Amino acid sequence: MANTTSSTHRPIDPRSKWAELSQAERSAAYDNNAAVKNSPALIAERNETSARLRGTLKSHLDLPYGERRNNKIDLYPAAKPDAPCLVFVHGGYWQRNSRELFAMLVEGVAAHGWSVAIPGYSLAPEVSFTDIVAEIPRSLDWLAAHGASYGVAGPVILSGWSAGAHLVAMALSHPRVHAGLALSGVYDLAPIRDTGLNAALKLTDAEIPMLSPLRLPVTQKRLDIAYGSSELPALVCDSIDFHEKRAAAGAPGKLITVEGADHFTILEALRRPDGVLVEAARRLLD
């Protein structure tokens, strides 16, 4: 079930007393794996299903869009070249996971005649945070130039989960993107620098304001922002705050609460053909 009403429950944000928290408490505020007790099983099932589907679905895999090792994109074309395309950006706090592990999401929108594209990107600490953010627009440039030759030429809905949702917000203005759907994202990087995640990310003073969607001018393009009702409060509050910032600037988009979902099970709503986030993606074409 999804809630798109204005009566959104805002949990107590641990960042409201951030200065009083220890390093361990700050890290715990963003530790999704620890917060979801069965996360190892959920991740294993996701990875196993993706490995199976990636080998059986009609696809063009490992297409290079840039010069770095992870600058590759997987395309899953629909029967019609002009079908809508979901471009999905994976998560992992900008330092884990890869595009191959999310092929299980293809079936959701593919059941409605869509194409899917899943770009990979470089991970910290191999490259800087600035470099990571720049790679998603580069993959969209490649899709604009070459997608049609692989049967992917329709309007693009850019979606992403967790760190991928942040990257969606940063790339929303790309001319190839019709609209966006961001799931379970982090939109202010300043607190991240105070957690153990920053050991790999190495965020700089300049990167915080330049790469935090909550600190940047609003992109006037439709963006639906979704989160699970059972997610960590810091992520819930970021989603609510980002939606409110955009709404105040007159930017279109819904705030979607996926009731009962945690940081990992929210992907089911984009994975199932009847999932509420599949429906949300389809409505972004209206």
Side-chain angles (χ1 to χ4, degrees):
M1 178 182 294
N3 173 27
T4 58
T5 69
S6 59
S7 58
T8 302
H9 170 69
R10 182 188 292 271
I12 297 173
D13 191 339
R15 299 168 300 184
S16 64
K17 55 176 184 177
W18 201 238
E20 303 172 21
L21 301 184
S22 67
Q23 172 77 48
E25 289 170 325
R26 291 175 178 181
S27 294
Y30 287 91
D31 191 342
N32 294 297
N33 290 68
V36 180
K37 300 307 179 185
N38 65 331
S39 61
L42 293 171
I43 292 168
E45 192 276 334
R46 178 196 72 196
N47 295 350
E48 291 164 7
T49 303
S50 291
R52 174 176 53 80
L53 290 175
R54 193 169 183 265
T56 58
L57 293 170
K58 176 187 176 183
S59 60
H60 304 285
L61 304 177
D62 306 318
L63 301 170
Y65 70 81
E67 69 282 357
R68 297 188 180 116
R69 177 171 52 88
N70 285 359
N71 290 170
K72 294 183 173 64
I73 189 169
D74 293 343
L75 302 182
Y76 300 88
K80 298 180 179 179
D82 61 349
C85 179
L86 183 79
V87 176
F88 182 81
V89 185
H90 73 77
Y93 274 132
W94 309 277
Q95 55 195 280
R96 295 190 295 270
N97 293 330
S98 63
R99 70 191 186 283
E100 299 94 335
L101 303 179
F102 293 84
M104 54 88 177
L105 292 172
V106 173
E107 290 186 316
V109 295
H112 300 278
W114 285 41
S115 296
V116 176
I118 307 180
Y121 54 90
S122 300
L123 302 175
E126 182 179 338
V127 301
S128 72
F129 203 99
T130 297
D131 288 335
I132 293 170
V133 171
E135 289 186 350
I136 301 306
R138 195 172 305 146
S139 74
L140 293 167
D141 289 342
W142 184 93
L143 189 65
H146 304 287
S149 63
Y150 293 95
V152 180
V156 164
I157 300 300
L158 181 62
S159 183
W161 165 74
S162 197
H166 164 270
L167 296 173
V168 165
M170 294 300 299
L172 186 64
S173 62
H174 192 280
R176 188 69 178 87
V177 175
H178 178 76
L181 176 61
L183 284 58
S184 307
V186 173
Y187 305 109
D188 185 1
L189 300 176
I192 294 291
R193 189 167 54 174
D194 298 329
T195 73
L197 295 167
N198 200 49
L201 298 176
K202 298 179 172 60
L203 287 160
T204 68
D205 288 341
E207 286 176 324
I208 298 296
M210 293 299 295
L211 303 177
S212 293
L214 269 166
R215 296 169 182 252
L216 291 170
V218 167
T219 298
Q220 291 290 335
K221 189 180 287 188
R222 185 169 171 184
L223 176 68
D224 283 5
I225 299 168
Y227 65 92
S229 65
S230 297
E231 299 222 42
L232 287 169
L235 274 68
V236 173
C237 291
D238 257 22
S239 295
I240 295 170
D241 290 345
F242 190 33
H243 172 74
E244 289 181 349
K245 175 183 173 72
R246 287 178 45 82
K254 295 178 178 179
L255 181 66
I256 303 172
T257 308
V258 182
E259 297 294 344
D262 60 41
H263 193 69
F264 297 95
T265 58
I266 192 173
L267 289 173
E268 287 298 309
L270 191 62
R271 176 180 178 178
R272 300 191 315 270
D274 63 347
V276 294
L277 295 180
V278 170
E279 178 62 21
R282 298 176 69 200
R283 289 186 180 277
L284 287 171
L285 294 171
D286 295 346

